Amino acid sequence: MGEMGFTAEERTAMKERARETRGARRGGGKADAEKEVLAKIAEMEDGDRALAERVHALVTGAAPQLAPKLWYGMPAYARDGKVVCFFQCSGKFKARYSTLGFNDAARLDDGALWPTAFAVTADLTADDEALVSQLVRRAAG
């Protein structure tokens, strides 16, 4: 078997997470955290940036009680410090599509099986945006 390890992108994400954790211990308000999220979005490639901006607007509009923050270097939205949902751009991990994901703090439970991540493309329709808003509202509880 070949050597099992983390990719360069995964190692970078872990280092970003360590910096985020250190920064959280030093304090900083919701406004500072949102500025960091918006700055990270501004660094993204054009397609990812436009999509991240749209997702950010949808999440903050649907659930203003969620606090924007960076999580592994990506935009995330938390309730009581626990990440409810997050956006992962395609460029960060050289993926085919970006992802809108929900963590276990999200209140999306629906029987024995439910989706926790969605592939997101730049072609969000009005129906797609309505679904994202509905999921975020429900996840935020």
Side-chain angles (χ1 to χ4, degrees):
M1 270 205 270
E3 182 181 327
M4 303 230 0
F6 295 105
T7 66
E9 293 82 7
E10 290 168 330
R11 284 191 299 277
T12 299
M14 288 185 284
K15 288 176 185 176
E16 288 177 325
R17 181 67 186 134
R19 278 193 301 275
E20 294 159 9
T21 302
R22 284 191 301 273
R25 285 193 296 253
R26 285 191 299 272
K30 184 176 177 178
D32 290 338
E34 184 162 20
K35 285 180 188 175
E36 291 175 348
V37 167
L38 293 173
K40 187 58 78 170
I41 290 171
E43 294 172 4
M44 293 177 186
E45 296 173 10
D46 291 344
D48 283 333
R49 183 177 56 249
L51 191 52
E53 287 170 345
R54 190 67 202 126
V55 168
H56 179 76
L58 290 167
V59 171
T60 56
Q65 71 273 31
L66 294 180
K69 65 185 277 181
L70 289 178
W71 190 59
Y72 293 96
M74 289 285 103
Y77 306 87
R79 177 183 59 246
D80 300 327
K82 296 186 187 241
V83 171
V84 172
C85 61
F86 60 91
F87 177 81
Q88 186 178 61
C89 70
S90 63
K92 183 164 182 100
F93 294 102
K94 299 177 178 95
R96 186 167 60 95
Y97 48 80
S98 296
T99 305
L100 174 63
F102 295 89
N103 280 349
D104 58 351
R107 297 178 177 146
L108 292 176
D109 300 33
D110 186 16
L113 178 72
W114 61 90
T116 59
F118 296 84
V120 184
T121 67
D123 299 328
L124 288 176
T125 66
D127 288 343
D128 297 330
E129 291 181 355
L131 177 60
V132 168
S133 295
Q134 175 190 18
L135 286 168
V136 168
R137 273 192 299 278
R138 195 167 132 214

